C-alpha cells in the first residue's frame, strides 16, 4: 500500500511540475511520445503540430527580448492563432509591432514547414 501511495504521489507531482524548467528537458520527449502514440488521430495531429511549432517559436524567442517571446507565445496558442499569424504576417506582410526583421522571418520559416496547417483547424 505504501508503494502504491508513493507511486501516486510521484505521478501527481510529475503532472503538476511537468513544465518546470528543470523537468522540461525530460518531460517533453515523454509528452511528445504520448501525444503521437496514445491520442486520437485528429487530436493527435493537432496537438503534435501545435506543440512542435510552440517549441520552435520558444527556441526563436530565446534569442530576443520578452516582448518578442510573448508575441511568439501568443501566436502559437492554438491552430487558429497560428493560421491567423501566418495569414496576416507571413502571407500578407502586415507589420507586427513586436516581431519584425529576422525574428519574423524565422517564425515564418517555421510555419512554411507546415503547408497543410489548415487541415487541423478547429471549426
Amino acid at each position: 500500500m505504501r508503494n502504491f501511495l508513493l507511486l501516486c504521489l510521484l505521478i501527481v507531482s510529475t503532472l503538476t511540475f511537468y513544465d518546470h524548467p528543470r523537468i522540461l528537458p525530460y518531460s517533453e520527449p515523454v509528452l511528445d511520445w504520448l501525444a503521437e502514440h496514445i491520442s486520437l488521430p485528429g487530436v493527435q495531429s493537432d496537438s503534435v503540430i501545435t506543440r512542435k511549432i510552440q517549441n520552435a517559436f520558444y527556441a526563436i524567442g530565446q534569442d530576443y527580448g520578452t516582448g518578442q517571446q510573448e508575441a511568439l507565445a501568443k501566436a502559437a496558442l492554438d491552430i487558429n492563432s497560428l493560421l491567423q499569424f501566418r495569414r496576416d504576417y507571413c502571407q500578407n506582410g502586415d507589420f507586427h509591432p513586436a516581431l519584425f526583421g529576422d525574428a519574423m522571418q524565422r517564425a515564418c520559416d517555421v510555419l512554411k514547414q507546415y503547408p497543410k496547417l489548415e487541415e487541423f483547424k478547429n471549426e
Side-chain angles (χ1 to χ4, degrees), residues 11-111:
I11 291 171
V12 168
S13 64
T14 302
L15 292 174
T16 303
F17 299 109
Y18 77 94
D19 60 345
H20 189 273
R22 289 189 179 183
I23 297 175
L24 200 58
Y26 306 105
S27 66
E28 281 185 347
V30 173
L31 292 174
D32 289 339
W33 183 86
L34 287 173
E36 289 176 9
H37 292 89
I38 295 179
S39 299
L40 297 173
V43 176
Q44 166 224 343
S45 300
D46 181 6
S47 63
V48 169
I49 297 287
T50 304
R51 186 159 178 80
K52 286 180 181 180
I53 294 173
Q54 286 172 344
N55 289 339
F57 278 13
Y58 179 78
I60 292 170
Q62 295 306 304
D63 296 337
Y64 302 101
T66 57
Q68 289 87 357
Q69 291 173 0
E70 291 172 1
L72 288 168
K74 183 179 177 185
L77 283 175
D78 58 7
I79 292 293
N80 293 326
S81 60
L82 285 168
L83 288 170
Q84 182 179 0
F85 181 86
R86 184 174 70 180
R87 182 182 60 246
D88 292 345
Y89 303 112
C90 299
Q91 293 172 345
N92 295 343
D94 294 346
F95 178 76
H96 192 286
L99 296 171
F100 47 86
D102 186 52
M104 181 62 73
Q105 184 62 40
R106 289 173 64 187
C108 290
D109 288 343
V110 168
L111 292 176

